Amino acid sequence: MANSYSPYVGDGSTVIFNVTFNYITKAHVSVKANNVAVAFTWVDAYRIQVGSAPANASIVRIERTTPSDVP
């Protein structure tokens, strides 16, 4: 389960999404579209870019999952 997330709805053209939460390391951040992992790159500290735009009306979730053993 994600510790925090940013929800979006795909529109078929948007490829850059804001990360609206803090994180310890970028490795703890992932992107899913309709619960399927999506490859992405970092644009800067709080924006990511997916390889292709999520389909219109798809549920996009940028998630932070920090392991419980990380201080």
Side-chain angles (χ1 to χ4, degrees), residues 30-63:
S30 63
V31 179
K32 293 181 181 177
N34 289 336
N35 282 329
V36 176
V38 174
F40 67 95
T41 57
W42 289 90
V43 175
D44 57 35
Y46 288 97
R47 292 185 305 157
I48 57 99
Q49 181 172 350
V50 295
S52 59
N56 190 39
S58 62
I59 303 302
V60 179
R61 244 173 98 112
I62 302 169
E63 301 179 342

Side-chain angles (χ1 to χ4, degrees), residues 12-36:
S13 62
T14 300
V15 294
I16 296 178
F17 296 92
N18 294 322
V19 178
T20 60
F21 49 78
N22 293 322
Y23 53 88
I24 295 171
T25 179
K26 291 178 178 178
H28 296 166
V29 178
S30 63
V31 179
K32 293 181 181 177
N34 289 336
N35 282 329
V36 176

